[in-house]
Amino acid sequence: MSVRQSREERAVALTALLREVQVAEYWQPHEPAGYIDTAVRRWITSDRRIKPGKRTPENRVRDLLRGLREAQGDDLVYEEPGWLEHLADRFGVALLQADASPDR
C-alpha cells in the first residue's frame, strides 16, 4: 500500500482485494459486504487498538477476528464453528500482503 493513499482510497483497494479473496475461495455468505466492510474498517484502524510494541501481524489478525465477532453479535451462533476464524485468517493474509506490496 502506498503511504500517500488516502484512507478512502485504501479502503476501496482493500475492499476490492477482499472481494477477490471471496471469489477465489468460493465464499458465498448471505451478505458479504458487511464482512468486507467490517474487515477493512477494522484493519485500517487497528493501530488505535493495538499498543505500539504489540503491533505484530498475529495481533492484527486477532484484532480483525475480534471485530468480525463483534459485528456478528448474536448471529454468530448460526455460523459453522471455526468459520469466522478461517475467514479472519484468509482476510489477514490478503491484507498483510497488500500492506507489504508497494504498488497497491
Side-chain angles (χ1 to χ4, degrees), residues 38 41-42 49 62-76 84:
T38 300
R41 186 175 56 253
R42 193 76 181 195
R49 288 179 301 283
R62 265 191 241 130
D63 181 66
L64 175 63
L65 175 59
R66 197 169 28 253
L68 290 170
R69 281 184 178 150
E70 288 171 6
Q72 280 290 294
D74 292 337
D75 292 339
L76 190 58
L84 210 52

Side-chain angles (χ1 to χ4, degrees), residues 3-4 7 9 12 16 19 22 25 41 53-55 57 66 68 73 79 83 88-89:
V3 176
R4 297 197 300 177
R7 183 176 174 173
E9 291 170 334
V12 168
R19 288 199 186 282
Q22 170 190 342
E25 295 293 318
R41 186 175 56 253
K54 305 239 180 199
R55 290 183 185 147
R66 197 169 28 253
L68 290 170
E79 299 291 351
W83 182 82
D89 288 342

Side-chain angles (χ1 to χ4, degrees), residues 8 14 16-17 22 40 42 46 48 62 74 77 97-98:
E8 292 79 21
L14 292 175
L17 176 74
Q22 170 190 342
V40 168
R42 193 76 181 195
S46 66
R48 292 188 294 171
R62 265 191 241 130
D74 292 337
V77 297
Q97 288 175 350

